[in-house]
Amino acid sequence: MTLDNHSTISEFILLGLSADPHIQALLFVLFLQIYLLTVTGNLMLLLVTRADSHLHTPMYFFLSHLSFLDMCFSSVTVPKLLENLLSQKKNISVKGCLAQVFFLFVSAATEVGLLAAMAYDRFAAICHPLLYGQVMNSLLCKGLACGSWGLGFFVALLNIFPAMNLDFFGDYIIPHYSCELPSLFPLSCSDVSSSFTVLLCSSLLGGLGTCFLIFYSYAHIGSTILRIVSFSGRRKAFSTCSSHLTAVLLYYDSAFLHYFMPTSGSPLELISVQYSVVSSLVNPLSSIA
């Protein structure tokens, strides 16, 4: 059954961040600069990683995937946000909204998978340095990367199919600047219990599962670092994982604030911007700091 048979409306209205034209103009300039820096910075990192043979290591292999993902993540919402900041009618089609939902799921789930894979890489480098080359071989790195992308598409497909069967009538205003599945539930007259259950279970399993893997890796890393006698040895070991740990904390903290704080309709909506716009720029920088 097609989506058109399930909806009497053809588009949603995104309220955005502000109704003030002057603020909208300032936000457009700001977000355009951030978006251009994000695309340029991540693209340069991809090119440098590919061109420099010294960077053909597991860490930079995963970092290149993260950079490509961050470009995609930012491109899911920012272009539409920029368009709506300049237009009077801030609309998005129902199909376009669901497409945005789908690719947001792909980006978010793939990123947690990549962060978990990078945590395992740091675990192998610090806890088993003599076996690092054998453990983190090319086959395993490619498998972890493919597994992360597979997780992203699996979670996205798992959530988008129930969402495509939702009926939308009457109210069609989304109090955000982008489409996300939880913001569609109040607009639907269908029973959203199954879709909500799938969303909750996939988020808990994917988010908490990868978070546990990261915590487990860093628990062993911390234990290994504490057993190092020399201060310089401890500092060197910590420096190899501090940048990745920064990226992990940045992602999970912003995601927690984004999904668990009532940001809609308040200045705290900017927290959501930090999660979906700014983090794509900061992540690669913190990962190579």
Side-chain angles (χ1 to χ4, degrees), residues 65 67 69 74 101 106 111 121 131-132 144-145 184 215 241 275:
H65 278 269
S67 296
L69 178 66
S74 182
V101 169
V106 172
E111 180 148 353
D121 172 68
L131 299 175
Y132 178 70
L144 290 173
L184 298 183
F215 177 81
C241 61
Y275 167 73

Side-chain angles (χ1 to χ4, degrees), residues 54-119:
H54 295 92
L55 299 180
H56 293 174
T57 62
M59 182 183 71
Y60 282 94
F61 172 79
F62 293 121
L63 185 58
S64 63
H65 278 269
L66 185 62
S67 296
F68 177 74
L69 178 66
D70 281 330
M71 285 195 298
C72 297
F73 191 19
S74 182
S75 298
V76 171
T77 56
V78 178
K80 188 62 181 179
L81 170 62
L82 294 174
E83 176 189 340
N84 286 343
L85 285 173
L86 294 181
S87 62
Q88 294 293 328
K89 189 177 182 182
K90 308 178 188 304
N91 62 313
I92 184 172
S93 67
V94 174
K95 292 181 179 179
C97 187
L98 290 176
Q100 201 174 75
V101 169
F102 175 81
F103 287 110
L104 282 175
F105 271 115
V106 172
S107 301
T110 303
E111 180 148 353
V112 296
L114 287 174
L115 290 175
M118 294 171 73

Side-chain angles (χ1 to χ4, degrees), residues 266-284:
S266 74
L268 291 177
E269 181 80 18
L270 293 177
I271 294 174
S272 178
V273 175
Q274 190 272 333
Y275 167 73
S276 59
V277 180
V278 180
S279 62
S280 297
L281 171 64
V282 177
N283 270 343

Side-chain angles (χ1 to χ4, degrees), residues 134-213:
Q134 299 177 21
V135 173
M136 296 304 298
N137 55 59
S138 176
L139 183 62
L140 179 61
C141 291
K142 292 178 180 178
L144 290 173
C146 290
S148 299
W149 285 99
L151 173 66
F153 279 97
F154 174 74
V155 170
L157 289 172
L158 199 64
N159 282 274
I160 201 63
F161 283 128
M164 292 176 64
N165 291 319
L166 296 178
D167 297 315
F168 299 102
F169 296 97
D171 190 12
Y172 56 95
I173 297 176
I174 298 177
H176 299 285
Y177 65 90
S178 64
C179 291
E180 294 184 355
L181 189 54
S183 63
L184 298 183
F185 290 157
L187 307 182
S188 175
C189 62
S190 305
D191 181 10
V192 299
S193 58
S194 60
S195 185
F196 177 78
T197 301
V198 171
L199 172 63
L200 182 62
C201 292
S202 61
S203 298
L204 289 177
L205 291 176
L208 294 182
T210 54
C211 187
F212 171 78
L213 292 176

